[in-house]
Amino acid sequence: MNQWPDAETTLPDDGTEGALVGRVWRPGLGPSVVAVRYDGVYDVTAAFATVRDLCETSDPAAQVRATLGERFAGLDELLANTPVDTRDPERPWLLTPVDLQAVKAAGVTFVVSMLERVIEERVRGDASEAAVTRERIRELIGDDVASLRPGSDEAAELKRILVAQGVWSQYLEVGIGPDAEIFTKAPVLATVGTATDAGIHPASRWNNPEPEVVLAVSSRGEAVGAMLGNDVNLRDIEGRSALLLPLAKDNNASAAVGPFLRLFEPGFGIDDVRRAVVTLTVEGADGYRLDAVSSMSAISRDPLELVAQLTGPHHQYPDGAVLYLGTMFAPVEDRDAPGQGFTHHDGDLVSIATPRLGTLVNRIRPSDTCDPWTFGLADLMRSLAARGAL
C-alpha cells in the first residue's frame, strides 16, 4: 500500500510549469495563500489575502506569476508535515486550495453514473439488490441514452416513452432533461486538501469515492482554473431518498479538493479540462486495490454549460464558487459480498489523478474521527486582520 504523497507524485506531469496556487497553515500567522514554484513554496498573502481575491483579478495566472512573495518552505517538507497522525503543529502544512468560494457540485453529468443513481433509487439503498436491478434498467433504457444531448427533442421523446412504461426517475430527469442537478457540497471553508483524511458518515454501509475535475469560477461567472476533487458519496443514504442528499453529501471532511488550483492561461485552459482523463486508485489496508478511469470527453453537459447553470442573472456568487463537474466512475465491482458492488473500508487510501492537475490523495475515515472543522469565517478574518493582510 502506498504511503502519503511527496512532491514528485503530487505535482502535474509538467511539474511547476503551471500557475499553481494553494493554501498553507503557517504557525503564528494562520492560513496563507501560496504559489508553488520550481524552487519552493512562496507566501503571496500580502498581495492576495485569499484565493478568492486572486481569482477575482482580471488575469489570475498573470497576477500570481508577477508576485514574488516570500519563500518559506519546500513542497516536500509541507507534504511530509500534512498528515494529521504525524504533523508537527509548530511547522507549516498544506490546506485545501480554496477558501471563500461557495462549494457546489453537479450531479448525474455522465450516463454511467446516472444509471447507477437510478439503481440506488430503485433498490432504496439496499446494495444486495443492485446487480439484478442494474440489468433490468439497462434492458429498459438501452445504451443509446449515452448519445443523447440533455434537453434535446430526442431526450424529451425518451422521457415520454419511459413515463409511459412507468420507469421514469428523478435522476433521469436531471441526466437527460434541460436542467442540471447542481447542489451545495459543503459550507465555505469546509473542504479538505491532499495528504489528509476524507470523511464517510459512520451510518453509511454502501459508499464510494467520486473522482472529478473541479472548476474555480469567479463572481463574473468565468472559469479561471481547475483542480481535482473527491465528491464522497453515500449510496445507501441517498438511495433511501433523494431528500437525504444533504446527509449523503455534506459531512465533516467529505469534500476533498486539490492538490493545487491550476489557473487558466495560455497553454492550459478549459479545453484541457474537456480532454482530461481522471484515474482513480483505491488501496485498502487489507491489500485490496481498485483502479478506474473517468474520461471528461464522455460528459453529457459541457463544463461551461454547467457553469452557466450555476451562476448568472438567476444566482450570484460575490466570492465566486468551485464546481465539481461529476464523474463517470460506476462502483459496480464487488469488494465484499457478491452483487453488492464497491464500498469503502476504514483506512482506504484514495488517489485521484490527471496529468495536467497532479494527484489528490486522501485516507478514508469515519467523518466523526476526522479532524473537526473548527476554523470558520470569523477566525479567518481575525487572522488576516492580525497580520495586516486586510
Side-chain angles (χ1 to χ4, degrees), residues 18 118 221 258 342:
V118 175
F342 172 87

Side-chain angles (χ1 to χ4, degrees), residues 203-246:
S204 177
R205 296 295 177 268
W206 188 26
N207 45 68
N208 62 270
E210 292 196 345
E212 307 189 16
V213 175
V214 182
L215 289 181
V217 181
S218 74
S219 66
R220 302 179 298 276
E222 298 173 357
V224 299
M227 60 200 132
L228 292 166
N230 186 354
D231 179 14
V232 177
N233 181 48
L234 311 184
R235 303 192 72 187
D236 46 359
I237 291 176
E238 185 178 353
R240 283 161 46 202
S241 170
L243 297 180
L244 293 174
L245 183 66

Side-chain angles (χ1 to χ4, degrees), residues 32-255:
S32 304
V33 180
V34 302
V36 181
R37 297 172 177 153
Y38 76 96
D39 60 345
V41 179
Y42 287 73
D43 190 332
V44 294
T45 311
F48 314 104
T50 63
V51 174
R52 174 267 181 203
D53 290 328
L54 173 59
C55 289
E56 288 300 303
T57 63
S58 59
D59 189 342
Q63 289 289 327
V64 78
R65 287 190 181 279
T67 302
L68 178 58
E70 171 203 354
R71 187 198 184 282
F72 69 95
L75 180 55
D76 269 325
E77 63 185 281
L78 290 174
L79 283 163
N81 197 45
T82 298
V84 65
D85 292 346
T86 56
R87 181 182 301 161
D88 178 356
E90 301 301 316
R91 297 166 51 221
W93 64 87
L94 283 174
L95 300 170
T96 168
V98 300
D99 41 45
L100 297 183
Q101 298 94 334
V103 185
K104 311 293 284 190
V108 203
T109 55
F110 290 80
V111 170
V112 172
S113 59
M114 176 187 73
L115 296 180
E116 288 303 307
R117 293 293 180 273
V118 175
I119 292 162
E120 290 167 13
E121 179 185 41
R122 291 275 165 171
V123 303
R124 297 292 188 268
D126 182 357
S128 64
E129 299 294 326
V132 172
T133 304
R134 183 176 296 109
E135 183 59 30
R136 179 171 180 271
I137 292 292
R138 289 189 179 278
E139 290 174 359
L140 289 169
I141 296 177
D143 295 323
D144 290 344
V145 69
S147 63
L148 283 180
R149 185 179 183 277
S152 66
D153 291 342
E154 293 79 8
E157 175 61 15
L158 176 60
K159 175 180 178 178
R160 186 191 66 78
I161 293 170
L162 293 175
V163 168
Q165 293 181 348
V167 296
W168 186 248
S169 162
Q170 58 202 334
Y171 294 108
L172 286 166
E173 176 66 48
V174 296
I176 64 175
D179 300 312
E181 178 195 20
I182 297 179
F183 58 92
T184 297
K185 170 62 181 177
V188 171
L189 290 181
T191 61
V192 296
T194 197
T196 191
D197 294 335
I200 297 283
H201 194 290
S204 177
R205 296 295 177 268
W206 188 26
N207 45 68
N208 62 270
E210 292 196 345
E212 307 189 16
V213 175
V214 182
L215 289 181
V217 181
S218 74
S219 66
R220 302 179 298 276
E222 298 173 357
V224 299
M227 60 200 132
L228 292 166
N230 186 354
D231 179 14
V232 177
N233 181 48
L234 311 184
R235 303 192 72 187
D236 46 359
I237 291 176
E238 185 178 353
R240 283 161 46 202
S241 170
L243 297 180
L244 293 174
L245 183 66
L247 177 60
K249 288 293 189 179
D250 180 9
N251 297 293
N252 185 41
S254 67

